[in-house]
Amino acid sequence: MSRNVLDNCNPVSWVNGEPASLVSINDRGLAYGDGLFETIRVQAGMPTLFDLHCKRLCSGAAVLRIPFDLEGFKREVGEFLQAQKLPEGVLKAIVTRGSGGRGYNPVGCENPRRILSFHPLPAYKGSPGLSGIRLHECKTRMGDHAFAGLKHLNRLENVMARSEWQGSDCLEGLLLGLDDRLVEGTMSNLFMVSGSTLLTPDLGRAGVNGVCREFIQEHAQGWGLKVETGDYSLEDLAGAEEVFVCNSVNGIWPVIACGDLNWSVGSVTCTVRDRVQEVLNA
Amino acid sequence: MSRNVLDNCNPVSWVNGEPASLVSINDRGLAYGDGLFETIRVQAGMPTLFDLHCKRLCSGAAVLRIPFDLEGFKREVGEFLQAQKLPEGVLKAIVTRGSGGRGYNPVGCENPRRILSFHPLPAYKGSPGLSGIRLHECKTRMGDHAFAGLKHLNRLENVMARSEWQGSDCLEGLLLGLDDRLVEGTMSNLFMVSGSTLLTPDLGRAGVNGVCREFIQEHAQGWGLKVETGDYSLEDLAGAEEVFVCNSVNGIWPVIACGDLNWSVGSVTCTVRDRVQEVLNA
């Protein structure tokens, strides 16, 4: 295999259950972004929030009509993690529609391809979960999509939004919709605090239905909190008592600044952060 | 290499200038649809409408800030086609941002990956360019996108729209926007005829700026025609004197039906079809 086809820094990876770091150029994930992915925090050798990741993968596969064997996937993830023998890190799972001919028609693509890879936990200076982060306000807008909510492989807007800043001054970017409403972070979901209510943008038109967001929605009541979804503006953000972003790898990051706006790391955010951390560090 | 990583029916292909049919699982095209593609008709061993394909690829790469060496690409395409020794077919060229680490941030991805593959010309029963085609009216809607117009690898909507029908009764599907305006076909652009004016949907919010559409816009005046772009509805379609779709592989297909609507293969459509055919069969 020629050098330029390979990479210098391949993670440990499996393709369809076997060690491999290459896929066919006919893969529909490459051709059209025709597939889904999950990014799962691994702790003590086990995938965290795994049921929610599996649930999202299944519902995404159903929408895209990709035949997906959940039990086989769970078994494969278990075997893969056992083979890694690494206690913590990030498991990335891609499920594409598999190989196909030229052209959009997916007919005949009956063998989805599973790609598992293991990566180190991302390293950040300081403790962003404790001290909070600054948000870059992205110029790239998140469009309105027919398949909003799904964690599919069509992520060009996230890429271009994330390319807008470098360095560690901002650890996340705020994505607005085409109509300037709040949508999400480039790799996280957004929450605002109003009393004991958590406000988070509705994802019916744009954004990824994050697993950590889902976990918060499921458990908020038990923490004495309520979650409301809706369309919110930058004015709503300015008026928020507390702001945080969340994902299933980093947990909760309090937001302390976005442009001219400033917030403190508040008590509601800390409550949610600690509850989520219990699960991610299990 | 294990069997399930490979395909049974790989086309002849090069990756970064060397024969290959595999790419790294770290390719950003696979991970995020972070790249562009062109589908080019090859006639007498030469790429047709090649300048327009190159122009679109360059402008797409500029928007996505993918460093792209046009002269190197042209040279490589020439060498690839010479190596194929096949007089006609379809050249598919994918340019991705190359390999990268986990996460959306494209920083450090300075080596785009070029994937060239050669495919047979698509075969259709009868002569759709002469007798015309029926359009399936797709339920899948084309969203409003930040990177509309570009032929990028985020094509899930096209895939899902194209999956809505099988069989040869309809050869193309009509895609509407979220607000029900006309956008394009799943793999073609749409034109309506009103007198000597060609009306084609504006692609500022959604759709692919097709090379054949561009060719028509550039040359219409010389054929005694005018092109107008705008937002059009199904009512406009119903009122059109003639309708056709176009792409750079199949040329012009007159549209004779869409749902309850019917049109004849008209003289303006035939003029445009014949002019385009001269270039595609050159």
Side-chain angles (χ1 to χ4, degrees):
Chain A
M1 186 60 54
S2 76
R3 199 168 51 87
N4 65 24
V5 178
L6 296 168
D7 297 313
N8 297 321
C9 53
N10 261 323
V12 182
S13 56
W14 284 9
V15 176
N16 284 2
E18 297 181 19
S21 58
L22 301 170
V23 294
S24 166
I25 60 162
N26 293 334
D27 189 274
R28 309 248 328 167
L30 173 65
Y32 305 125
D34 192 4
L36 302 156
F37 72 112
E38 293 291 331
T39 308
I40 304 168
R41 184 178 177 117
V42 175
Q43 204 68 33
M46 297 294 287
T48 60
L49 295 170
F50 195 48
D51 284 349
L52 288 177
H53 283 290
C54 287
K55 182 181 151 196
R56 181 171 63 178
L57 202 46
C58 280
S59 64
V63 172
L64 301 185
R65 294 194 291 279
I66 293 177
F68 178 65
D69 168 16
L70 176 62
E71 290 313 312
F73 175 77
K74 284 182 176 174
R75 198 166 49 240
E76 195 167 294
V77 164
E79 291 168 2
F80 176 74
L81 290 179
Q82 207 159 23
Q84 303 315 313
K85 295 190 173 54
L86 291 166
E88 61 175 40
V90 177
L91 166 68
K92 179 164 179 175
I94 299 178
V95 177
T96 77
R97 199 181 299 277
S99 287
R102 198 187 62 75
Y104 295 123
N105 198 340
V107 73
C109 302
E110 304 290 342
N111 299 301
R113 182 169 279 130
R114 307 171 306 281
I115 304 168
L116 304 182
S117 58
F118 199 84
H119 307 256
L121 279 177
Y124 301 100
K125 277 185 201 164
S127 302
L130 297 176
S131 51
I133 64 156
R134 307 177 70 87
L135 290 182
H136 167 84
E137 199 180 317
C138 296
K139 289 186 185 71
T140 303
R141 289 292 186 271
M142 185 62 92
D144 288 346
H145 295 260
F147 301 102
L150 275 62
K151 200 168 172 87
H152 54 59
L153 297 171
N154 281 207
R155 299 263 76 100
L156 206 40
E157 287 156 337
N158 302 67
V159 168
M160 295 311 292
R162 185 58 190 83
S163 75
E164 289 184 23
W165 83 98
Q166 299 300 333
S168 56
D169 189 39
C170 292
L171 289 190
E172 177 55 308
L174 173 65
L175 269 163
L176 305 180
L178 295 172
D179 59 358
D180 287 348
R181 76 188 187 287
L182 308 174
V183 178
E184 61 183 3
T186 67
M187 60 167 184
S188 62
N189 290 115
L190 179 75
F191 281 85
M192 297 174 287
V193 177
S194 172
S196 61
T197 302
L198 306 177
L199 308 171
T200 188
D202 178 85
L203 304 175
R205 288 188 283 161
V208 174
N209 184 5
V211 153
C212 192
R213 176 180 184 271
E214 186 82 9
F215 177 79
I216 292 168
Q217 287 180 306
E218 279 187 5
H219 291 85
Q221 203 179 352
W223 310 329
L225 300 170
K226 202 175 73 171
V227 179
E228 281 181 14
T229 60
D231 285 348
Y232 304 108
S233 66
L234 280 168
E235 280 183 27
D236 295 317
L237 187 70
E241 295 161 22
E242 306 173 23
V243 178
F244 64 87
V245 292
C246 67
N247 73 27
S248 60
V249 170
N250 300 317
I252 308 292
W253 283 347
V255 174
I256 55 170
C258 179
D260 296 335
L261 304 174
N262 292 280
W263 301 271
S264 301
V265 178
S267 61
V268 173
T269 297
C270 291
T271 297
V272 178
R273 178 195 64 201
D274 295 348
R275 295 294 85 74
V276 169
Q277 212 52 39
E278 285 167 12
V279 179
L280 293 182
N281 285 336
Chain B
M1 190 57 56
S2 76
R3 198 167 53 83
N4 66 24
V5 179
L6 298 166
D7 296 312
N8 297 321
C9 54
N10 261 323
V12 182
S13 56
W14 285 8
V15 176
N16 284 3
E18 297 180 19
S21 58
L22 301 171
V23 294
S24 166
I25 60 161
N26 293 334
D27 189 274
R28 308 250 327 170
L30 173 65
Y32 304 125
D34 191 5
L36 302 156
F37 71 113
E38 294 291 330
T39 308
I40 304 168
R41 185 180 176 116
V42 175
Q43 203 69 34
M46 297 293 288
T48 60
L49 295 171
F50 194 47
D51 285 348
L52 288 177
H53 283 289
C54 286
K55 182 180 151 197
R56 182 172 63 179
L57 202 46
C58 280
S59 63
V63 172
L64 301 186
R65 295 193 292 279
I66 294 177
F68 177 65
D69 168 17
L70 177 62
E71 292 311 313
F73 175 78
K74 283 182 177 174
R75 198 165 52 240
E76 196 168 293
V77 165
E79 291 167 3
F80 177 74
L81 291 178
Q82 208 161 21
Q84 303 314 314
K85 295 189 172 56
L86 291 167
E88 62 176 38
V90 177
L91 166 68
K92 178 165 180 174
I94 299 178
V95 177
T96 76
R97 200 181 297 277
S99 286
R102 198 187 63 75
Y104 295 122
N105 198 339
V107 73
C109 302
E110 305 290 342
N111 299 300
R113 182 169 280 131
R114 307 171 305 281
I115 304 169
L116 303 181
S117 58
F118 199 83
H119 308 258
L121 279 176
Y124 299 101
K125 277 185 200 162
S127 303
L130 296 176
S131 51
I133 65 156
R134 305 178 71 84
L135 290 183
H136 167 84
E137 200 179 318
C138 296
K139 288 187 187 71
T140 303
R141 289 292 186 274
M142 185 64 91
D144 289 345
H145 296 260
F147 301 101
L150 275 62
K151 199 169 171 90
H152 53 59
L153 297 171
N154 280 207
R155 299 264 74 99
L156 206 40
E157 288 156 336
N158 302 66
V159 168
M160 295 311 292
R162 184 58 191 84
S163 76
E164 289 185 23
W165 84 97
Q166 300 299 333
S168 56
D169 189 38
C170 293
L171 290 189
E172 177 56 306
L174 173 65
L175 270 164
L176 305 180
L178 295 172
D179 59 357
D180 287 349
R181 76 187 188 288
L182 308 174
V183 177
E184 61 182 3
T186 66
M187 58 166 185
S188 62
N189 289 115
L190 179 75
F191 281 85
M192 297 173 287
V193 177
S194 172
S196 61
T197 302
L198 306 177
L199 308 171
T200 189
D202 178 84
L203 304 175
R205 287 187 284 160
V208 173
N209 184 5
V211 152
C212 192
R213 176 180 184 271
E214 186 82 9
F215 177 80
I216 293 168
Q217 286 180 305
E218 279 187 5
H219 291 85
Q221 204 180 352
W223 309 330
L225 300 170
K226 201 174 71 169
V227 179
E228 281 181 15
T229 61
D231 284 349
Y232 303 110
S233 66
L234 280 168
E235 279 182 27
D236 295 318
L237 187 70
E241 296 162 21
E242 306 173 22
V243 178
F244 64 87
V245 292
C246 67
N247 73 28
S248 60
V249 170
N250 300 317
I252 307 292
W253 282 348
V255 173
I256 56 170
C258 179
D260 296 335
L261 305 173
N262 292 279
W263 302 271
S264 301
V265 178
S267 61
V268 173
T269 297
C270 290
T271 298
V272 177
R273 179 196 64 201
D274 295 349
R275 295 295 83 75
V276 168
Q277 213 51 41
E278 285 167 12
V279 178
L280 293 183
N281 285 336

